[in-house]
């Protein structure tokens, strides 16, 4: 009963934060910490990426937005590139020999050389930029609305879009997304929830509850929310962090439970 009450309380918090959807029938998984690593507590994490043994991160806020390469073991920033101080950096993803990043409300994105971080090109896009990932064919953009936009990696033109729903109700505010085993996983802003989304239909298949991570219970301020998902496909490892968090976690998922209605 206690477990069901906790899950119900968690879902109630998500429900209040995201469009009052009744999602209690969807399975919920928790997380167990396998390892904890230092993380820059000043990093307003917007995007997280594990690629070929390297950890990449994009950070936000005007005057503090960067893309960076970070050493996992001690959190040291090995390489960094600052955005212009008037820009608010958001999500980032790799494509070929590039890192591609977007900004929140500025309508401008960047293509960076993966090795040198030299700027190769800027581009414009409509709407807001919240998060980026890719499925091997297209880039996938969250723009804060209940939509995922699938984009041509070369032109950034929209190929298709899907509407994100949980039990038929729209889900907005995906603030960081990652491609994991054929699904899009997304942090739901201002909650401890990750939504597992079917990229074909946009339907939420289940939830991951992050409330077991220490920072979710002692936020230094209201912005210090979970935000950062990186999946090491080769090693089948999952890394999570948050905005302004002093730690980054390698976690395993607990078996799914379905909350009582």
């Amino acid at each position: 009963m206690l477990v069901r009450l906790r899950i119900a309380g968690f879902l109630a918090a998500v429900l209040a934060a995201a469009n009052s959807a009744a999602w209690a029938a969807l399975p919920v998984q928790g997380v167990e910490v396998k390892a904890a690593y230092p993380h820059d507590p000043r990093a307003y994490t917007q995007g997280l990426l594990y690629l070929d043994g390297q950890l990449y991160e994009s950070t936000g806020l005007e005057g503090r937005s960067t893309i960076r390469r970070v050493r996992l073991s001690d959190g040291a920033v090995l390489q960094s590139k600052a955005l212009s101080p008037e820009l608010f950096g958001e999500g980032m993803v790799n494509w070929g020999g590039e890192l591609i990043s977007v900004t929140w409300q500025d309508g401008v994105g960047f293509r960076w050389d993966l090795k040198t971080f030299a700027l190769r090109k800027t581009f414009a896009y409509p709407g807001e930029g919240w998060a980026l990932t890719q499925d091997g064919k297209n880039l996938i953009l969250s723009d804060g609305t209940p939509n995922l936009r699938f984009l041509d990696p070369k032109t950034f033109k929209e190929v298709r879009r899907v509407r994100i729903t949980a039990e038929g109700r729209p889900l907005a505010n995906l603030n960081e997304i990652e491609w994991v085993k054929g699904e899009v996983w997304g942090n739901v802003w201002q909650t401890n929830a990750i939504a597992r989304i079917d990229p074909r239909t946009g339907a939420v298949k289940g939830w991951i509850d992050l409330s077991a991570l220490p920072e979710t219970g002692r936020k230094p301020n209201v912005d210090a929310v979970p935000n950062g998902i990186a999946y090491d496909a080769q090693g089948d490892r999952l890394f999570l962090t948050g905005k302004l968090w002093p730690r980054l976690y390698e976690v395993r998922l607990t078996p799914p439970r379905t909350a009582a209605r």
Side-chain angles (χ1 to χ4, degrees):
M1 178 62 71
L2 180 59
V3 169
R4 287 189 174 184
L5 287 173
R6 286 176 176 171
I7 293 173
F10 155 70
L11 288 172
V14 175
L15 184 123
N19 302 330
S20 299
W23 305 333
L26 293 171
V28 180
Q29 293 174 272
V31 295
E32 295 177 347
V33 174
K34 295 178 64 177
Y37 306 95
H39 179 252
D40 180 2
R42 296 187 70 254
Y44 197 81
T45 304
Q46 302 286 48
L48 197 66
L49 172 67
Y50 189 92
L51 179 65
D52 298 330
Q54 304 287 317
L55 191 68
Y56 297 88
E57 186 173 12
S58 60
T59 68
L61 299 177
E62 291 91 345
R64 288 171 50 183
S65 296
T66 65
I67 61 166
R68 50 177 68 180
R69 182 168 60 90
V70 179
R71 188 161 55 211
L72 175 63
S73 60
D74 61 4
V77 179
L78 303 177
Q79 192 176 1
S80 181
K81 185 80 169 184
L83 274 62
S84 297
E86 73 276 10
L87 298 177
F88 195 118
E90 285 280 352
M92 175 185 68
V93 71
N94 65 298
W95 186 266
E98 296 180 327
L99 292 172
I100 302 175
S101 68
V102 292
T103 53
W104 179 28
Q105 296 177 320
D106 303 291
V108 60
F110 303 93
R111 308 185 82 107
W112 312 92
D113 184 274
L114 179 62
K115 293 183 178 180
T116 67
F117 284 7
L119 179 60
R120 290 184 174 180
K121 188 177 181 180
T122 62
F123 58 90
Y125 55 91
E128 295 185 356
W130 284 45
L132 274 177
T133 190
Q134 54 116 324
D135 61 3
K137 296 180 179 180
N138 298 118
L139 306 181
I140 306 171
L141 173 74
S142 167
D143 59 8
T145 72
N147 294 305
L148 288 175
R149 296 192 231 164
F150 290 73
L151 309 169
D152 184 288
K154 294 182 179 179
T155 65
F156 218 71
K157 300 298 184 182
E158 186 173 319
V159 175
R160 68 182 180 96
R161 68 172 60 191
V162 297
R163 188 160 180 82
I164 312 161
T165 59
E167 294 196 25
R169 302 293 184 87
L171 172 66
N173 298 332
L174 293 186
N175 203 23
E176 216 285 275
I177 58 176
E178 178 80 346
W179 183 262
V180 182
K181 298 180 180 180
E183 299 175 349
V184 176
W185 289 14
N187 288 114
V188 183
W189 182 57
Q190 290 291 349
T191 78
N192 294 336
I194 290 175
R196 294 176 42 231
I197 301 163
D198 184 329
R200 297 174 298 105
T201 66
V204 175
K205 300 171 65 176
W207 299 103
I208 301 171
D209 178 3
L210 306 184
S211 59
L213 300 181
E215 280 76 8
T216 64
R218 54 170 186 263
K219 296 192 295 185
N221 62 57
V222 296
D223 290 324
V225 295
N227 204 53
I229 309 167
Y231 180 60
D232 170 16
Q234 185 174 3
D236 192 23
R237 296 187 296 170
L238 180 64
F239 300 99
L240 304 173
T241 193
K243 301 179 182 187
L244 310 174
W245 282 20
R247 283 176 291 272
L248 178 146
Y249 297 96
E250 180 182 348
V251 304
R252 66 170 61 90
L253 300 184
T254 62
R257 295 184 177 91
T258 301
R261 287 188 180 273

